[in-house]
Amino acid sequence: MSKIQKTETKATTWIDKQSNSPYPVWALSALTLATLPLSARKSPGIPSVLQTVAFSAIFAGAGYVINTGDADNGSGISTAWCLSWSFLNAKTAMKSMKPVPITLLSAVALNTIIYGKRTLKVNGYID
């Protein structure tokens, strides 16, 4: 096994382990909620107050589903809502070039990768 294959295996194993845990999506929920004061001030690149509260609650709910033992459905919920957040907010976050919106976008992207991989596996799109 080459060094590149070992690195890919390590990364894949880490992603698979994280998709069984609610902590990545709960961390995203907390990070999203932490931007509430910036949302109230209408800072560039930050979602509105309504979106901030709603997405934070949805991410927390997805973590709850994973925590109850239904990691497959929790991953699907997390993936769907991370993609929704991205479609609504990624462009403005990137255009703002501010550290907080870009950090939030990075966290959403990471959660999309973690839970999206599991969702694609469960639905038979990847092995």
Side-chain angles (χ1 to χ4, degrees):
M1 186 177 264
S2 72
K3 188 175 183 178
I4 293 173
Q5 289 173 326
K6 286 181 182 178
T7 304
E8 283 181 12
T9 303
K10 276 184 167 179
T12 301
T13 303
W14 182 84
I15 290 171
D16 292 337
K17 284 181 183 176
Q18 295 305 309
S19 70
N20 288 317
S21 170
Y23 295 116
V25 75
W26 280 343
L28 177 59
S29 176
L31 180 62
T32 303
L33 195 59
T35 64
L36 192 57
L38 296 173
S39 293
R41 280 189 264 154
K42 300 184 190 292
S43 294
I46 301 290
S48 69
V49 171
L50 177 64
Q51 281 189 27
T52 298
V53 172
F55 278 109
S56 182
I58 291 166
F59 294 147
Y64 173 75
V65 172
I66 294 168
N67 194 48
T68 61
D70 193 359
D72 293 343
N73 284 323
S75 294
I77 294 166
S78 179
T79 301
W81 286 100
C82 283
L83 289 172
S84 298
W85 189 98
S86 297
F87 292 140
L88 292 170
N89 301 302
K91 184 178 178 182
T92 56
M94 289 300 291
K95 282 173 62 176
S96 75
M97 293 304 291
K98 303 278 185 192
V100 173
I102 291 178
T103 301
L104 192 55
L105 176 59
S106 300
V108 168
L110 179 61
N111 274 270
T112 303
I113 291 167
I114 290 170
Y115 296 112
K117 182 179 179 201
R118 182 183 189 104
T119 301
L120 291 174
K121 276 185 176 180
V122 166
N123 291 312
Y125 293 111
I126 59 174
D127 291 327

